[in-house]
Amino acid sequence: MDITEHLEYYVIQYKASLPQPCIQDLLQLMASTEPFEIQYGFVVHHAAPLLHSLSRMEQEWDQPEAMAKLQVKSLFYQFICELMGQLQHQRLEQASPDLVLQAARYMDEHYAEPITADSLATLLNCSPRTMQRMFNKRLALGPIDYLMQIRIDKARELLCRTNTGLKDISEAVGYVDSYYFSRLFKRYTGVSPSMYRETMTHSTGAERANIAAFAPNLETVDSEQKMPSDKLDAVIRRSVRTIIHLKGELLLQRQPEKIAVLDPQFMDHMLALGEHPAGSVMVTGDLSGYPEFLIGNLRTFQPLGTLDEPDLEALVALAPDLIICTEFQKNIYESLSHIAPTIMLERNRDWRETLRIIGRIMGKKREAEQVIQQYKHKISVLKSALAAKLHGQSVTMIRPQDNSIRLHTSVHRTAAILYRDLGLYPPKLAVDRKRTSSLITLEGLPELDADHYFLLTDNKCKAWSDEIQTTTTWKSLRAVQHHHIYHAKASIWIAYYGPIAMNQVVDQVAEVFLDAK
């Protein structure tokens, strides 16, 4: 090792303490898990936002004003939220940090700030040449070109949805010189910002929705000449979006119109945004097919087999212009990519993050944020009401399956809705930092000893579920004797992990605990 090399690091000294008074269940949980004694380390996938927070904390700490220390505390909480979010969703296998993904995420969040190739490379601890080479290899464009696309997209939104002046819009997307911004906007879209705004103002909703990739040069077009409708669609917006996914990146040159989804949850996401898939798989083993809460909102679409066994012949016949799958289909990814451009998303990703990606694919980022904010408002109201109602009673979700009982733990994506979003308490056996579920026997069920059970069933395991409920062991449970067993559809709670299904889960929890007579 070269002893002249320097090691750069941050050290944060803080003290964690429990608020007083604490309920007994929380004290017992702390005693059993001892979270403040745990030491761990991991390679973060997105270092840029963490480094940005640390840098700002350091700057504020050196300020003499008392308010600066409060600002540092606020930044520290943001840092912890980002850190824990990455830790929760990171895969278990070791992986080297993805510099392109980190840089792209940083630019998505800080596009309005001064960013250069040098400053970006310094932030991610690599050379500008390396950053340029990696971007060109992965995205076929450089980091500053990617930044320009983000800024132009943001400018389009502001021009379309506000009456803000050009100078203010220019500054809002990171360009101090409005004249330079105007030239850049026209070079990218084919029209000036003022013409773009005028076109959007006089266009119908249908015309705005039809987004084309072609942007004609309008310098020779008479401004008073009525433009043909096929050209008008092209003038409205040139949508070039790079979607980063598990298999790399996909450059969307135009708005996809015929999308095939190979995981049922993506059907939920699309419908929540007012869009319809052209075809979808169904849940494996769900004999009832597609659930009514989704199928009732669908136009004609093509069934594409099941989650475990997609029907490739039906997929070829559908001729989609985009396929969205998950790692469930990793063995057939090459076959899928020969049928149509294919995006592979992480199946267990938080539904809000997935919705943002689907919104970006569909050109509906704003609508996606509205759905998320509506959900956030709903759970904030319910969380307080549930805490007042249950007084720390434990709640769990179990699923009889394959002659055993699957206990969904606190890190399971749907269980997290109960424990993280709604603030319910898990029983001791359901607290886990790594495994999303564990199997327990019927004889071991009394050890779980939860106050309330959500019993998840489906057609495939209905017979085993019914059999369990006839046993002496089941009937001896406290929750059974107090009528605290609540039946739920496994497909909605587990398979259709999107905003529509998760809102139904939240509504069922509210109905059980708050609307009960």
Side-chain angles (χ1 to χ4, degrees):
M1 177 179 176
D2 186 354
I3 60 174
T4 62
E5 294 181 358
H6 296 283
L7 175 64
E8 296 185 8
Y9 61 93
Y10 286 93
V11 175
I12 303 177
Q13 295 181 332
Y14 70 96
K15 181 179 180 180
S17 59
L18 287 174
Q20 299 295 331
C22 296
I23 63 173
Q24 190 63 31
D25 286 350
L26 181 56
L27 292 174
Q28 292 176 355
L29 178 62
M30 296 293 293
S32 61
T33 60
E34 297 182 338
F36 296 155
E37 301 300 322
I38 297 173
Q39 299 182 17
Y40 63 89
F42 71 104
V43 178
V44 297
H45 287 314
H46 309 295
L50 295 170
L51 289 173
H52 181 71
S53 295
L54 289 169
S55 177
R56 289 191 58 196
M57 288 168 62
E58 182 184 22
Q59 293 172 9
E60 292 293 337
W61 190 263
D62 291 334
Q63 300 301 315
E65 296 86 358
M67 185 66 71
K69 300 301 185 288
L70 180 62
Q71 178 68 12
V72 171
K73 187 173 183 180
S74 173
L75 290 167
F76 179 65
Y77 282 127
Q78 296 176 34
F79 175 83
I80 293 297
C81 287
E82 175 69 25
L83 183 68
M84 298 306 295
Q86 291 194 34
L87 179 60
Q88 180 177 354
H89 296 110
Q90 187 180 99
R91 296 182 183 183
L92 296 180
E93 65 265 22
Q94 295 293 321
S96 299
D98 189 329
L99 292 181
V100 174
L101 187 60
Q102 290 183 28
R105 180 173 176 179
Y106 181 81
M107 288 187 283
D108 283 338
E109 296 176 354
H110 301 278
Y111 62 87
E113 302 174 9
I115 297 176
T116 65
D118 288 344
S119 66
L120 194 62
T122 300
L123 182 65
L124 296 175
N125 196 29
C126 68
S127 69
R129 183 176 179 180
T130 298
M131 179 66 66
Q132 181 74 27
R133 177 177 54 80
M134 295 180 70
F135 258 83
N136 284 331
K137 181 179 180 181
R138 297 269 301 273
L139 303 181
L141 77 170
I144 301 306
D145 296 318
Y146 181 86
L147 175 63
M148 181 189 70
Q149 290 186 4
I150 297 172
R151 288 173 167 174
I152 295 299
D153 284 344
K154 296 294 182 181
R156 284 197 187 104
E157 292 181 14
L158 292 173
L159 288 166
C160 177
R161 304 181 189 280
T162 72
N163 294 320
T164 306
L166 181 60
K167 185 176 186 300
D168 291 335
I169 290 178
S170 173
E171 293 178 352
V173 298
Y175 294 109
V176 177
D177 188 339
S178 59
Y179 177 71
Y180 171 75
F181 163 72
S182 296
R183 288 191 295 116
L184 191 66
F185 188 95
K186 185 171 183 178
R187 186 175 70 189
Y188 184 81
T189 66
V191 295
S192 66
S194 58
M195 180 174 285
Y196 176 82
R197 171 176 275 168
E198 182 179 355
T199 303
M200 291 295 289
T201 301
H202 294 92
S203 300
T204 66
E207 288 170 340
R208 295 181 187 183
N210 295 325
I211 303 170
F214 172 66
N217 186 342
L218 298 182
E219 292 181 346
T220 59
V221 178
D222 187 344
S223 62
E224 296 183 358
Q225 176 184 350
K226 183 172 176 60
M227 196 174 299
S229 59
D230 61 334
K231 300 295 185 183
L232 180 61
D233 289 341
V235 173
I236 291 175
R237 198 186 312 180
R238 181 187 179 190
S239 181
V240 179
R241 297 185 295 278
T242 300
I243 307 299
I244 300 177
H245 61 107
L246 294 180
K247 288 292 185 178
E249 294 79 27
L250 180 65
L251 186 66
L252 294 178
Q253 294 283 1
R254 62 176 66 246
Q255 181 68 48
E257 297 178 356
K258 187 185 288 188
I259 299 178
V261 296
L262 301 190
D263 193 302
Q265 64 176 304
F266 300 141
M267 181 195 304
D268 186 308
H269 285 85
M270 290 186 65
L271 289 172
L273 296 177
E275 299 292 338
H276 296 73
S280 173
V281 297
M282 68 176 64
V283 177
T284 303
D286 189 353
L287 303 180
S288 62
Y290 302 95
E292 180 60 33
F293 80 93
L294 291 183
I295 202 71
N297 296 321
L298 278 171
R299 297 192 296 259
T300 302
F301 77 107
Q302 176 66 47
L304 298 174
T306 66
L307 174 65
D308 290 335
E309 297 183 3
D311 187 339
L312 295 186
E313 292 185 2
L315 189 59
V316 171
L318 180 64
D321 51 21
L322 181 67
I323 300 171
I324 306 178
C325 69
T326 72
E327 62 269 31
F328 256 53
Q329 291 87 32
K330 63 182 180 181
N331 293 332
I332 60 171
Y333 178 80
E334 292 300 324
S335 298
L336 297 175
S337 61
H338 283 97
I339 297 173
T342 302
I343 291 173
M344 180 182 287
L345 301 180
E346 183 180 352
R347 188 167 193 267
N348 289 325
R349 182 190 295 265
D350 187 291
W351 70 263
R352 285 155 284 212
E353 296 181 15
T354 300
L355 185 65
R356 288 189 173 102
I357 297 175
I358 300 295
R360 182 168 171 80
I361 293 172
M362 304 307 304
K364 290 196 169 184
K365 292 191 290 185
R366 184 181 183 187
E367 289 84 347
E369 288 301 326
Q370 288 175 340
V371 171
I372 293 170
Q373 290 305 314
Q374 289 169 0
Y375 174 82
K376 183 178 181 180
H377 175 71
K378 174 189 284 190
I379 63 173
S380 67
V381 174
L382 289 176
K383 191 171 185 177
S384 299
L386 289 168
K389 180 76 173 182
L390 293 176
H391 302 291
Q393 297 178 53
S394 60
V395 180
T396 193
M397 49 185 285
I398 60 173
R399 184 184 183 190
Q401 189 179 30
D402 300 329
N403 295 322
S404 61
I405 299 172
R406 185 172 296 276
L407 169 65
H408 294 285
T409 67
S410 54
V411 293
H412 183 273
R413 61 185 190 177
T414 305
I417 301 294
L418 304 183
Y419 306 132
R420 180 190 61 202
D421 293 359
L422 296 178
L424 302 179
Y425 285 87
K428 183 178 179 180
L429 288 183
V431 177
D432 202 306
R433 293 188 296 270
K434 295 182 179 180
R435 299 178 301 171
T436 60
S437 66
S438 61
L439 295 179
I440 57 178
T441 63
L442 175 60
E443 293 72 23
L445 197 56
E447 186 181 353
L448 182 59
D449 194 32
D451 295 303
H452 301 269
Y453 291 76
F454 283 95
L455 180 62
L456 279 52
T457 56
D458 53 30
N459 292 323
K460 182 180 179 182
C461 301
K462 185 177 185 304
W464 171 235
S465 178
D466 291 343
E467 181 181 341
I468 287 175
Q469 295 174 69
T470 65
T471 64
T472 302
T473 301
W474 176 266
K475 293 178 181 179
S476 66
L477 295 177
R478 282 191 307 112
V480 173
Q481 295 173 359
H482 289 89
H483 305 290
H484 290 170
I485 304 296
Y486 318 108
H487 295 269
K489 293 183 178 180
S491 60
I492 295 177
W493 277 58
I494 301 296
Y496 295 93
Y497 182 67
I500 299 176
M502 290 304 98
N503 270 280
Q504 289 207 0
V505 170
V506 169
D507 291 343
Q508 183 174 355
V509 172
E511 181 181 357
V512 163
F513 294 123
L514 302 179
D515 297 341
K517 300 293 185 180

